[in-house]
Amino acid sequence: MRISMISEHASPLAALGGVDAGGQNVHVAALSEALAKRGHHVTVYTRRDATELPARVRVGSRFDVVHVDAGPPCHVPKDELLPFMGELADGVSRDWSQRPPDVVHGHFWMSGLAALDAARRPGTGYRVPVIQTFHALGTVKRRHQGAEDTSPQERRWLEPGVGRSADRIIATCSDEVFELKAMGINTGKISIAPCGVDLNFFSSEGAVAARTRSHRILSVGRLVPRKGVDLVIRALPHLREGGFDDVELLIVGGGGDSGVLDADPEVRRLMDLAADLGVADQVRLQGQVSRSEMPGLFRSADAVVCAPWYEPFGIVPLEAMACGVPVVAAAVGGLRDTVVDRGTGLHVPPRDPEAIASALAMLLGDPALRTELGNAGTVRARTRYSWDRVAAETEKAYQLAAAGAPAGVVPMEGAAL
């Protein structure tokens, strides 16, 4: 099958070679590689954001990345890219002129606009089936961020339009299906396939990073308020009151596009909070680190805390589970699917630092429980979240779209997520 993917702001090349790639970069890169290994030919179209980028990069024998001229060849915040989606569709359509793909898969709502535009242009003589993965929904973002949501106003009506117009939607978790239904989208054309984890890289075996205190808690990800890192800092005084004072909180991420921590306002906010709470000596900001360092950092932790206000899926819990580390997760979005409460970690209510502290105290005080949950997490990651399995489920969605088959919600094969 010839597969085109459109990922307008998240190049897979960033995930393959950079330290600042987000979840969408990782998802598109890993899924493309897994589909190529299954014998498909994958081309990912992304926006040129630097003048020196070549037009086409051969990643593997069946995997290419094409840089399309759409807007200025420099970094543009993703929420400002909407005016350039027509140009992106122009470039995609030109590249298809000799041989259109069998399917096109849009990643994020704006990529969906470009995919629909390129796939259904009059006079081209072809109609390419369109599959859509949203990665995040504007309705959820507005609900939690309110006035701080920087999405363009047009997202309110264009995103549901993408959902209604696409031939098939791949949701990454069960919670997303309910959100899509509330947007007026027919659930009969939704498949569920989660994100995956690189099990050859993230595993429970290997080097362990050094730590300086009896216990280490780890938080990983972009430092923005909605990720809830401040909640983990607020949990530290409660842990101290419970007798767990020799605890280090290691925060990986931050620094913005420059990677410079001192220039990041969220870093300053978090450190000011730690100072105000009297726990600054327990909080260590690592900044952005290379991918090669991450497995050892995960293995060095007693627990990984993921406490976002909302989370469409979340790759960090999978990486932690694959490394045999229990996860304390806010019971929101995709985290309710990936982390099994009292099975591979502990669920806590969102925005509740006391609940985070209570869950951490349970784990820090019971090494046997940590081992039990960590081992179960490794098994769950390996049996349910390999990229090959995710690619196989995605392949089924492509086949349904190409065949035009109506169906109910199609979950990942096997038991519930």
mmCIF file with all atom_site columns, all heavy atoms in Angstrom, residues 56-75:
data_model
loop_
_atom_site.group_PDB
_atom_site.id
_atom_site.type_symbol
_atom_site.label_atom_id
_atom_site.label_alt_id
_atom_site.label_comp_id
_atom_site.label_asym_id
_atom_site.label_entity_id
_atom_site.label_seq_id
_atom_site.pdbx_PDB_ins_code
_atom_site.Cartn_x
_atom_site.Cartn_y
_atom_site.Cartn_z
_atom_site.occupancy
_atom_site.B_iso_or_equiv
_atom_site.pdbx_formal_charge
_atom_site.auth_seq_id
_atom_site.auth_comp_id
_atom_site.auth_asym_id
_atom_site.auth_atom_id
_atom_site.pdbx_PDB_model_num
ATOM 1   N N   . ARG A 1 56 ? 13.549 16.315 -0.280 1.00 0.00 ? 56 ARG A N   1
ATOM 2   C CA  . ARG A 1 56 ? 13.156 14.956 0.081  1.00 0.00 ? 56 ARG A CA  1
ATOM 3   C C   . ARG A 1 56 ? 14.295 14.281 0.845  1.00 0.00 ? 56 ARG A C   1
ATOM 4   O O   . ARG A 1 56 ? 15.453 14.416 0.471  1.00 0.00 ? 56 ARG A O   1
ATOM 5   C CB  . ARG A 1 56 ? 12.809 14.142 -1.159 1.00 0.00 ? 56 ARG A CB  1
ATOM 6   C CG  . ARG A 1 56 ? 12.271 12.744 -0.891 1.00 0.00 ? 56 ARG A CG  1
ATOM 7   C CD  . ARG A 1 56 ? 11.936 12.014 -2.201 1.00 0.00 ? 56 ARG A CD  1
ATOM 8   N NE  . ARG A 1 56 ? 10.823 12.629 -2.880 1.00 0.00 ? 56 ARG A NE  1
ATOM 9   C CZ  . ARG A 1 56 ? 9.549  12.240 -2.780 1.00 0.00 ? 56 ARG A CZ  1
ATOM 10  N NH1 . ARG A 1 56 ? 9.248  11.200 -2.007 1.00 0.00 ? 56 ARG A NH1 1
ATOM 11  N NH2 . ARG A 1 56 ? 8.601  12.859 -3.438 1.00 0.00 ? 56 ARG A NH2 1
ATOM 12  N N   . VAL A 1 57 ? 13.935 13.579 1.910  1.00 0.00 ? 57 VAL A N   1
ATOM 13  C CA  . VAL A 1 57 ? 14.906 12.843 2.707  1.00 0.00 ? 57 VAL A CA  1
ATOM 14  C C   . VAL A 1 57 ? 14.508 11.375 2.706  1.00 0.00 ? 57 VAL A C   1
ATOM 15  O O   . VAL A 1 57 ? 13.370 11.035 3.062  1.00 0.00 ? 57 VAL A O   1
ATOM 16  C CB  . VAL A 1 57 ? 14.969 13.371 4.160  1.00 0.00 ? 57 VAL A CB  1
ATOM 17  C CG1 . VAL A 1 57 ? 15.925 12.532 4.999  1.00 0.00 ? 57 VAL A CG1 1
ATOM 18  C CG2 . VAL A 1 57 ? 15.370 14.837 4.185  1.00 0.00 ? 57 VAL A CG2 1
ATOM 19  N N   . ARG A 1 58 ? 15.422 10.512 2.299  1.00 0.00 ? 58 ARG A N   1
ATOM 20  C CA  . ARG A 1 58 ? 15.160 9.075  2.348  1.00 0.00 ? 58 ARG A CA  1
ATOM 21  C C   . ARG A 1 58 ? 15.540 8.558  3.738  1.00 0.00 ? 58 ARG A C   1
ATOM 22  O O   . ARG A 1 58 ? 16.709 8.562  4.117  1.00 0.00 ? 58 ARG A O   1
ATOM 23  C CB  . ARG A 1 58 ? 15.973 8.371  1.262  1.00 0.00 ? 58 ARG A CB  1
ATOM 24  C CG  . ARG A 1 58 ? 15.939 6.850  1.278  1.00 0.00 ? 58 ARG A CG  1
ATOM 25  C CD  . ARG A 1 58 ? 14.521 6.269  1.199  1.00 0.00 ? 58 ARG A CD  1
ATOM 26  N NE  . ARG A 1 58 ? 13.762 6.676  0.051  1.00 0.00 ? 58 ARG A NE  1
ATOM 27  C CZ  . ARG A 1 58 ? 13.743 6.018  -1.117 1.00 0.00 ? 58 ARG A CZ  1
ATOM 28  N NH1 . ARG A 1 58 ? 14.480 4.933  -1.260 1.00 0.00 ? 58 ARG A NH1 1
ATOM 29  N NH2 . ARG A 1 58 ? 12.988 6.446  -2.108 1.00 0.00 ? 58 ARG A NH2 1
ATOM 30  N N   . VAL A 1 59 ? 14.541 8.153  4.509  1.00 0.00 ? 59 VAL A N   1
ATOM 31  C CA  . VAL A 1 59 ? 14.776 7.659  5.862  1.00 0.00 ? 59 VAL A CA  1
ATOM 32  C C   . VAL A 1 59 ? 15.075 6.171  5.843  1.00 0.00 ? 59 VAL A C   1
ATOM 33  O O   . VAL A 1 59 ? 15.919 5.672  6.581  1.00 0.00 ? 59 VAL A O   1
ATOM 34  C CB  . VAL A 1 59 ? 13.558 7.961  6.764  1.00 0.00 ? 59 VAL A CB  1
ATOM 35  C CG1 . VAL A 1 59 ? 13.779 7.411  8.168  1.00 0.00 ? 59 VAL A CG1 1
ATOM 36  C CG2 . VAL A 1 59 ? 13.285 9.455  6.809  1.00 0.00 ? 59 VAL A CG2 1
ATOM 37  N N   . GLY A 1 60 ? 14.371 5.454  4.997  1.00 0.00 ? 60 GLY A N   1
ATOM 38  C CA  . GLY A 1 60 ? 14.564 4.015  4.851  1.00 0.00 ? 60 GLY A CA  1
ATOM 39  C C   . GLY A 1 60 ? 14.170 3.605  3.450  1.00 0.00 ? 60 GLY A C   1
ATOM 40  O O   . GLY A 1 60 ? 13.750 4.432  2.637  1.00 0.00 ? 60 GLY A O   1
ATOM 41  N N   . SER A 1 61 ? 14.270 2.332  3.151  1.00 0.00 ? 61 SER A N   1
ATOM 42  C CA  . SER A 1 61 ? 13.992 1.875  1.788  1.00 0.00 ? 61 SER A CA  1
ATOM 43  C C   . SER A 1 61 ? 12.550 2.130  1.362  1.00 0.00 ? 61 SER A C   1
ATOM 44  O O   . SER A 1 61 ? 12.259 2.254  0.176  1.00 0.00 ? 61 SER A O   1
ATOM 45  C CB  . SER A 1 61 ? 14.317 0.381  1.662  1.00 0.00 ? 61 SER A CB  1
ATOM 46  O OG  . SER A 1 61 ? 13.523 -0.388 2.557  1.00 0.00 ? 61 SER A OG  1
ATOM 47  N N   . ARG A 1 62 ? 11.640 2.241  2.335  1.00 0.00 ? 62 ARG A N   1
ATOM 48  C CA  . ARG A 1 62 ? 10.223 2.487  2.013  1.00 0.00 ? 62 ARG A CA  1
ATOM 49  C C   . ARG A 1 62 ? 9.658  3.683  2.772  1.00 0.00 ? 62 ARG A C   1
ATOM 50  O O   . ARG A 1 62 ? 8.453  3.781  2.959  1.00 0.00 ? 62 ARG A O   1
ATOM 51  C CB  . ARG A 1 62 ? 9.382  1.242  2.335  1.00 0.00 ? 62 ARG A CB  1
ATOM 52  C CG  . ARG A 1 62 ? 9.744  -0.006 1.561  1.00 0.00 ? 62 ARG A CG  1
ATOM 53  C CD  . ARG A 1 62 ? 8.743  -1.121 1.870  1.00 0.00 ? 62 ARG A CD  1
ATOM 54  N NE  . ARG A 1 62 ? 9.052  -2.339 1.174  1.00 0.00 ? 62 ARG A NE  1
ATOM 55  C CZ  . ARG A 1 62 ? 9.828  -3.315 1.642  1.00 0.00 ? 62 ARG A CZ  1
ATOM 56  N NH1 . ARG A 1 62 ? 10.378 -3.173 2.845  1.00 0.00 ? 62 ARG A NH1 1
ATOM 57  N NH2 . ARG A 1 62 ? 10.055 -4.396 0.953  1.00 0.00 ? 62 ARG A NH2 1
ATOM 58  N N   . PHE A 1 63 ? 10.510 4.590  3.223  1.00 0.00 ? 63 PHE A N   1
ATOM 59  C CA  . PHE A 1 63 ? 10.071 5.695  4.086  1.00 0.00 ? 63 PHE A CA  1
ATOM 60  C C   . PHE A 1 63 ? 10.806 6.965  3.679  1.00 0.00 ? 63 PHE A C   1
ATOM 61  O O   . PHE A 1 63 ? 12.024 7.041  3.802  1.00 0.00 ? 63 PHE A O   1
ATOM 62  C CB  . PHE A 1 63 ? 10.331 5.312  5.543  1.00 0.00 ? 63 PHE A CB  1
ATOM 63  C CG  . PHE A 1 63 ? 10.026 6.370  6.577  1.00 0.00 ? 63 PHE A CG  1
ATOM 64  C CD1 . PHE A 1 63 ? 9.249  7.496  6.300  1.00 0.00 ? 63 PHE A CD1 1
ATOM 65  C CD2 . PHE A 1 63 ? 10.508 6.236  7.875  1.00 0.00 ? 63 PHE A CD2 1
ATOM 66  C CE1 . PHE A 1 63 ? 8.982  8.446  7.263  1.00 0.00 ? 63 PHE A CE1 1
ATOM 67  C CE2 . PHE A 1 63 ? 10.256 7.175  8.849  1.00 0.00 ? 63 PHE A CE2 1
ATOM 68  C CZ  . PHE A 1 63 ? 9.493  8.291  8.542  1.00 0.00 ? 63 PHE A CZ  1
ATOM 69  N N   . ASP A 1 64 ? 10.043 7.954  3.185  1.00 0.00 ? 64 ASP A N   1
ATOM 70  C CA  . ASP A 1 64 ? 10.589 9.255  2.794  1.00 0.00 ? 64 ASP A CA  1
ATOM 71  C C   . ASP A 1 64 ? 9.894  10.367 3.567  1.00 0.00 ? 64 ASP A C   1
ATOM 72  O O   . ASP A 1 64 ? 8.734  10.226 3.976  1.00 0.00 ? 64 ASP A O   1
ATOM 73  C CB  . ASP A 1 64 ? 10.368 9.528  1.299  1.00 0.00 ? 64 ASP A CB  1
ATOM 74  C CG  . ASP A 1 64 ? 11.187 8.628  0.393  1.00 0.00 ? 64 ASP A CG  1
ATOM 75  O OD1 . ASP A 1 64 ? 12.130 7.992  0.893  1.00 0.00 ? 64 ASP A OD1 1
ATOM 76  O OD2 . ASP A 1 64 ? 10.871 8.570  -0.804 1.00 0.00 ? 64 ASP A OD2 1
ATOM 77  N N   . VAL A 1 65 ? 10.616 11.474 3.736  1.00 0.00 ? 65 VAL A N   1
ATOM 78  C CA  . VAL A 1 65 ? 10.030 12.702 4.279  1.00 0.00 ? 65 VAL A CA  1
ATOM 79  C C   . VAL A 1 65 ? 10.194 13.788 3.229  1.00 0.00 ? 65 VAL A C   1
ATOM 80  O O   . VAL A 1 65 ? 11.298 13.994 2.710  1.00 0.00 ? 65 VAL A O   1
ATOM 81  C CB  . VAL A 1 65 ? 10.711 13.124 5.599  1.00 0.00 ? 65 VAL A CB  1
ATOM 82  C CG1 . VAL A 1 65 ? 10.182 14.487 6.059  1.00 0.00 ? 65 VAL A CG1 1
ATOM 83  C CG2 . VAL A 1 65 ? 10.479 12.085 6.685  1.00 0.00 ? 65 VAL A CG2 1
ATOM 84  N N   . VAL A 1 66 ? 9.101  14.463 2.901  1.00 0.00 ? 66 VAL A N   1
ATOM 85  C CA  . VAL A 1 66 ? 9.109  15.541 1.912  1.00 0.00 ? 66 VAL A CA  1
ATOM 86  C C   . VAL A 1 66 ? 8.844  16.866 2.611  1.00 0.00 ? 66 VAL A C   1
ATOM 87  O O   . VAL A 1 66 ? 7.855  16.992 3.355  1.00 0.00 ? 66 VAL A O   1
ATOM 88  C CB  . VAL A 1 66 ? 8.050  15.289 0.814  1.00 0.00 ? 66 VAL A CB  1
ATOM 89  C CG1 . VAL A 1 66 ? 7.944  16.497 -0.120 1.00 0.00 ? 66 VAL A CG1 1
ATOM 90  C CG2 . VAL A 1 66 ? 8.389  14.037 0.022  1.00 0.00 ? 66 VAL A CG2 1
ATOM 91  N N   . HIS A 1 67 ? 9.723  17.851 2.395  1.00 0.00 ? 67 HIS A N   1
ATOM 92  C CA  . HIS A 1 67 ? 9.538  19.195 2.951  1.00 0.00 ? 67 HIS A CA  1
ATOM 93  C C   . HIS A 1 67 ? 8.832  20.060 1.918  1.00 0.00 ? 67 HIS A C   1
ATOM 94  O O   . HIS A 1 67 ? 9.334  20.254 0.813  1.00 0.00 ? 67 HIS A O   1
ATOM 95  C CB  . HIS A 1 67 ? 10.884 19.806 3.330  1.00 0.00 ? 67 HIS A CB  1
ATOM 96  C CG  . HIS A 1 67 ? 11.574 19.074 4.431  1.00 0.00 ? 67 HIS A CG  1
ATOM 97  N ND1 . HIS A 1 67 ? 12.716 18.307 4.240  1.00 0.00 ? 67 HIS A ND1 1
ATOM 98  C CD2 . HIS A 1 67 ? 11.270 18.953 5.756  1.00 0.00 ? 67 HIS A CD2 1
ATOM 99  C CE1 . HIS A 1 67 ? 13.083 17.772 5.390  1.00 0.00 ? 67 HIS A CE1 1
ATOM 100 N NE2 . HIS A 1 67 ? 12.237 18.148 6.322  1.00 0.00 ? 67 HIS A NE2 1
ATOM 101 N N   . VAL A 1 68 ? 7.674  20.563 2.280  1.00 0.00 ? 68 VAL A N   1
ATOM 102 C CA  . VAL A 1 68 ? 6.839  21.343 1.369  1.00 0.00 ? 68 VAL A CA  1
ATOM 103 C C   . VAL A 1 68 ? 6.955  22.820 1.716  1.00 0.00 ? 68 VAL A C   1
ATOM 104 O O   . VAL A 1 68 ? 6.892  23.201 2.891  1.00 0.00 ? 68 VAL A O   1
ATOM 105 C CB  . VAL A 1 68 ? 5.366  20.887 1.467  1.00 0.00 ? 68 VAL A CB  1
ATOM 106 C CG1 . VAL A 1 68 ? 4.487  21.717 0.543  1.00 0.00 ? 68 VAL A CG1 1
ATOM 107 C CG2 . VAL A 1 68 ? 5.245  19.399 1.140  1.00 0.00 ? 68 VAL A CG2 1
ATOM 108 N N   . ASP A 1 69 ? 7.108  23.646 0.702  1.00 0.00 ? 69 ASP A N   1
ATOM 109 C CA  . ASP A 1 69 ? 7.123  25.091 0.908  1.00 0.00 ? 69 ASP A CA  1
ATOM 110 C C   . ASP A 1 69 ? 5.700  25.565 1.190  1.00 0.00 ? 69 ASP A C   1
ATOM 111 O O   . ASP A 1 69 ? 4.834  25.543 0.303  1.00 0.00 ? 69 ASP A O   1
ATOM 112 C CB  . ASP A 1 69 ? 7.680  25.805 -0.324 1.00 0.00 ? 69 ASP A CB  1
ATOM 113 C CG  . ASP A 1 69 ? 9.155  25.510 -0.532 1.00 0.00 ? 69 ASP A CG  1
ATOM 114 O OD1 . ASP A 1 69 ? 9.903  25.562 0.460  1.00 0.00 ? 69 ASP A OD1 1
ATOM 115 O OD2 . ASP A 1 69 ? 9.556  25.216 -1.669 1.00 0.00 ? 69 ASP A OD2 1
ATOM 116 N N   . ALA A 1 70 ? 5.466  25.967 2.418  1.00 0.00 ? 70 ALA A N   1
ATOM 117 C CA  . ALA A 1 70 ? 4.135  26.437 2.842  1.00 0.00 ? 70 ALA A CA  1
ATOM 118 C C   . ALA A 1 70 ? 4.355  27.486 3.929  1.00 0.00 ? 70 ALA A C   1
ATOM 119 O O   . ALA A 1 70 ? 4.576  27.151 5.085  1.00 0.00 ? 70 ALA A O   1
ATOM 120 C CB  . ALA A 1 70 ? 3.293  25.282 3.356  1.00 0.00 ? 70 ALA A CB  1
ATOM 121 N N   . GLY A 1 71 ? 4.332  28.754 3.526  1.00 0.00 ? 71 GLY A N   1
ATOM 122 C CA  . GLY A 1 71 ? 4.669  29.815 4.461  1.00 0.00 ? 71 GLY A CA  1
ATOM 123 C C   . GLY A 1 71 ? 6.166  30.018 4.514  1.00 0.00 ? 71 GLY A C   1
ATOM 124 O O   . GLY A 1 71 ? 6.930  29.388 3.771  1.00 0.00 ? 71 GLY A O   1
ATOM 125 N N   . PRO A 1 72 ? 6.630  30.886 5.398  1.00 0.00 ? 72 PRO A N   1
ATOM 126 C CA  . PRO A 1 72 ? 8.062  31.195 5.456  1.00 0.00 ? 72 PRO A CA  1
ATOM 127 C C   . PRO A 1 72 ? 8.883  29.998 5.911  1.00 0.00 ? 72 PRO A C   1
ATOM 128 O O   . PRO A 1 72 ? 8.427  29.218 6.753  1.00 0.00 ? 72 PRO A O   1
ATOM 129 C CB  . PRO A 1 72 ? 8.133  32.339 6.474  1.00 0.00 ? 72 PRO A CB  1
ATOM 130 C CG  . PRO A 1 72 ? 6.908  32.176 7.321  1.00 0.00 ? 72 PRO A CG  1
ATOM 131 C CD  . PRO A 1 72 ? 5.852  31.652 6.394  1.00 0.00 ? 72 PRO A CD  1
ATOM 132 N N   . PRO A 1 73 ? 10.111 29.825 5.369  1.00 0.00 ? 73 PRO A N   1
ATOM 133 C CA  . PRO A 1 73 ? 10.959 28.687 5.747  1.00 0.00 ? 73 PRO A CA  1
ATOM 134 C C   . PRO A 1 73 ? 11.666 28.910 7.078  1.00 0.00 ? 73 PRO A C   1
ATOM 135 O O   . PRO A 1 73 ? 12.897 28.957 7.161  1.00 0.00 ? 73 PRO A O   1
ATOM 136 C CB  . PRO A 1 73 ? 11.946 28.608 4.581  1.00 0.00 ? 73 PRO A CB  1
ATOM 137 C CG  . PRO A 1 73 ? 12.082 30.017 4.125  1.00 0.00 ? 73 PRO A CG  1
ATOM 138 C CD  . PRO A 1 73 ? 10.722 30.652 4.317  1.00 0.00 ? 73 PRO A CD  1
ATOM 139 N N   . CYS A 1 74 ? 10.884 29.062 8.117  1.00 0.00 ? 74 CYS A N   1
ATOM 140 C CA  . CYS A 1 74 ? 11.416 29.270 9.464  1.00 0.00 ? 74 CYS A CA  1
ATOM 141 C C   . CYS A 1 74 ? 10.385 28.742 10.449 1.00 0.00 ? 74 CYS A C   1
ATOM 142 O O   . CYS A 1 74 ? 9.273  28.378 10.066 1.00 0.00 ? 74 CYS A O   1
ATOM 143 C CB  . CYS A 1 74 ? 11.696 30.757 9.720  1.00 0.00 ? 74 CYS A CB  1
ATOM 144 S SG  . CYS A 1 74 ? 10.221 31.802 9.618  1.00 0.00 ? 74 CYS A SG  1
ATOM 145 N N   . HIS A 1 75 ? 10.766 28.709 11.721 1.00 0.00 ? 75 HIS A N   1
ATOM 146 C CA  . HIS A 1 75 ? 9.828  28.244 12.735 1.00 0.00 ? 75 HIS A CA  1
ATOM 147 C C   . HIS A 1 75 ? 8.639  29.192 12.829 1.00 0.00 ? 75 HIS A C   1
ATOM 148 O O   . HIS A 1 75 ? 8.795  30.409 12.929 1.00 0.00 ? 75 HIS A O   1
ATOM 149 C CB  . HIS A 1 75 ? 10.499 28.139 14.103 1.00 0.00 ? 75 HIS A CB  1
ATOM 150 C CG  . HIS A 1 75 ? 9.525  27.862 15.213 1.00 0.00 ? 75 HIS A CG  1
ATOM 151 N ND1 . HIS A 1 75 ? 8.950  26.624 15.401 1.00 0.00 ? 75 HIS A ND1 1
ATOM 152 C CD2 . HIS A 1 75 ? 9.010  28.680 16.182 1.00 0.00 ? 75 HIS A CD2 1
ATOM 153 C CE1 . HIS A 1 75 ? 8.122  26.673 16.436 1.00 0.00 ? 75 HIS A CE1 1
ATOM 154 N NE2 . HIS A 1 75 ? 8.146  27.899 16.929 1.00 0.00 ? 75 HIS A NE2 1
#
